[in-house]
Amino acid sequence: MTPPPLTVIRRTNVLALHRLFLEKEIAAGKPAKGLDQAFAASLEISPSMWSQIKSSRPVGDTLARQIERHARVDSGWLDAEHTTQHPDPAEERFLALAREAWRRANAKGKRDMRLWLAERAAPLQQAVAAPGGEPAKAEK
């Protein structure tokens, strides 16, 4: 399995920094309104730039280093994949949908869902377990 492109890794990581910022500020009793602007200010970027980054603008090298400096993470942190304790919103929506489908399905439906997922997860599991550190080729 090939790693995601650097632009995807950086966006995922900057969104994780944003989530941590929001959690910290809300836990400190700050109102949610205006926190996006506060996050942008903490990184010394405009709210418009932050909005673009959240949606699709790639984070270049200079901007990545600026974000890392202001977020007080190591240089290069945005460029590496990190395990996240918090699933992103798309993952949460998928899990809620899968849970609802599972709960509504009869025994055959549940078995079919489990088999369907197992077939798709198998290439990923094989890639992790491939000898010599080489990812196994996933079949389509």
Side-chain angles (χ1 to χ4, degrees):
M1 190 166 104
T2 61
L6 184 58
T7 55
V8 172
I9 293 170
R10 284 181 176 170
R11 180 168 299 108
T12 300
N13 288 337
V14 78
L15 289 173
L17 290 173
H18 179 248
R19 186 173 20 253
L20 291 172
F21 177 86
L22 293 178
E23 289 172 358
K24 183 181 109 196
E25 296 297 302
I26 291 171
K30 300 220 175 129
K33 185 172 180 156
L35 288 182
D36 270 359
Q37 291 84 356
F39 182 68
S42 76
L43 301 178
E44 293 189 4
I45 60 175
S46 70
S48 173
M49 171 74 82
W50 172 237
S51 179
Q52 292 172 35
I53 291 169
K54 285 195 306 183
S55 62
S56 64
R57 182 186 176 117
V59 176
D61 293 337
T62 303
L63 181 56
R65 301 301 81 89
Q66 176 182 332
I67 291 170
E68 290 164 345
R69 218 175 24 259
H70 290 294
R72 293 181 175 91
V73 295
D74 293 335
S75 183
W77 188 89
L78 284 179
D79 300 346
E81 289 187 88
H82 304 282
T83 56
T84 175
Q85 296 176 357
H86 304 288
D88 66 20
E91 184 179 350
E92 287 290 347
R93 287 190 302 273
F94 170 78
L95 292 173
L97 182 63
R99 187 176 300 112
E100 186 63 29
W102 179 266
R103 289 175 179 167
R104 290 178 182 228
N106 60 19
K108 182 186 180 312
K110 289 177 180 177
R111 184 176 58 249
D112 290 347
M113 279 189 266
R114 186 180 48 74
L115 292 172
W116 185 85
L117 284 170
E119 288 172 5
R120 277 140 190 86
L124 300 175
Q125 291 168 345
Q126 290 170 358
V128 171
E134 289 293 318
K137 301 276 188 207
E139 294 180 23
K140 293 187 179 183

